[in-house]
Amino acid sequence: MIKVENLRKVYKVGTEKVVALNNINLEIEKGEFCCIVGTSGSGKSTLLNQLAGLEKPTKGTVTVNGEVVSKMSEKELAIFRQNNLGFIFQSYNLMPTLTAVENVAFPLVFKGVDKKVRDKKARAILKEMQMGDRMNHKPTELSGGQQQRVGIARAFVGKPAVIFADEPTGNLDSKTTEQVMDMLMDISEKNNITFVMVTHDPELAKKAKRVITIVDGNIVHDSKYDNKGDKNEE
């Protein structure tokens, strides 16, 4: 589903050059639930941005679902993201004037889905996220955990090939974090969606089937785990 070849990203800071990613090679299979772990400044968010086509590499290629996103124009990227990708943000990024249903259904507007159909899809996934009694509430009427569930439902509603999440539980308490993580893994598995999440929390990453650790722009560990949390390979 995702293939990264010889990926390098260098930023210019004044007269200095900062290497954010140093010759990364990586493959992520369809349906894999993968965590990219690293401390602040390790390059993990830069890597996520490269995978999602949000930044251009200095060198190398990124292929997602058979398409070389690193070579696409902004217009091509916009169409590709609309048809293939979902995003979950730490800050929720919900539209304050819209209800939970309207926020979740919004991405389907750009796909030309009929209003009745998109509302039905939005309501179905909100029920799956245990938000059946909050569908007509606006973001200000929801707790942080509830807002993030709406954000998650919005990412999943179009059943994209890949979902990218940047610290999706960063603003949540530990109990809500565990509930949200379980939901993310369950819905991803049910729909065979490739899920790539960035986190600085190694404890949170332990729930994932695969954990990639990045330090100073280099992948230093890449481990896969079975359903019991036992390591299979590295």
Side-chain angles (χ1 to χ4, degrees):
M1 181 54 68
I2 299 173
K3 186 173 185 179
V4 177
E5 297 176 280
N6 303 316
L7 185 66
R8 183 173 170 85
K9 181 64 180 178
V10 180
Y11 294 104
K12 285 187 178 180
V13 182
T15 57
E16 299 291 318
K17 287 185 178 180
V18 178
V19 179
L21 297 173
N22 187 23
N23 206 44
I24 299 288
N25 288 281
L26 176 68
E27 290 188 14
I28 299 173
E29 300 298 324
K30 181 171 176 59
E32 221 172 3
F33 194 103
C34 175
C35 270
I36 300 172
V37 182
T39 58
S40 179
S42 62
K44 62 185 187 299
S45 290
T46 302
L47 178 55
L48 191 78
N49 289 342
Q50 294 288 325
L51 300 182
L54 298 174
E55 293 183 32
K56 294 290 185 186
T58 304
K59 178 188 172 186
T61 58
V62 177
T63 304
V64 180
N65 204 16
E67 301 286 339
V68 184
V69 297
S70 52
K71 304 290 186 185
M72 288 181 180
S73 67
E74 286 305 314
K75 185 177 180 180
E76 289 169 335
L77 277 167
I79 295 168
F80 178 80
R81 290 192 200 105
Q82 181 179 303
N83 292 325
N84 293 274
L85 307 182
F87 295 90
I88 301 171
F89 307 95
Q90 180 178 343
S91 56
Y92 319 136
N93 284 13
L94 301 178
M95 285 174 279
T97 58
L98 301 185
T99 64
V101 168
E102 290 167 338
N103 265 288
V104 173
F106 194 71
L108 300 178
V109 173
F110 299 101
K111 291 187 174 185
V113 178
D114 178 78
K115 187 178 187 307
K116 285 185 179 179
V117 175
R118 63 179 188 253
D119 282 357
K120 184 178 179 180
K121 287 178 179 287
R123 290 179 183 278
I125 196 162
L126 280 168
K127 283 181 181 177
E128 201 170 344
M129 297 296 299
Q130 298 172 15
M131 289 286 291
D133 59 343
R134 292 288 187 272
M135 291 191 190
N136 297 313
H137 288 61
K138 292 182 178 178
T140 52
E141 301 170 313
L142 302 173
S143 68
Q146 289 169 339
Q147 288 185 63
Q148 190 56 299
R149 290 185 194 197
V150 175
I152 291 166
R154 177 182 58 191
F156 278 100
V157 72
K159 294 188 177 177
V162 185
I163 290 180
F164 295 110
D166 194 353
E167 301 280 6
T169 61
N171 289 333
L172 307 178
D173 60 59
S174 57
K175 183 180 178 182
T176 307
T177 290
E178 189 162 345
Q179 291 172 345
V180 166
M181 277 295 292
D182 287 342
M183 287 178 178
L184 288 173
M185 296 184 74
D186 183 51
I187 300 175
S188 296
E189 189 173 344
K190 279 181 183 176
N191 294 283
N192 199 27
I193 291 172
T194 305
F195 195 97
V196 183
M197 182 178 93
V198 158
T199 181
H200 69 279
D201 185 353
E203 290 299 313
L204 189 61
K206 285 181 180 178
K207 281 184 165 287
K209 301 283 181 69
R210 184 176 179 187
V211 180
I212 297 166
T213 305
I214 187 165
V215 176
D216 295 333
N218 295 284
I219 292 175
V220 295
H221 292 291
D222 186 353
S223 303
K224 294 187 179 182
Y225 300 85
D226 61 21
N227 290 328
K228 298 175 184 177
D230 296 322
K231 188 183 288 188
N232 287 335
E233 61 181 274
E234 183 171 315

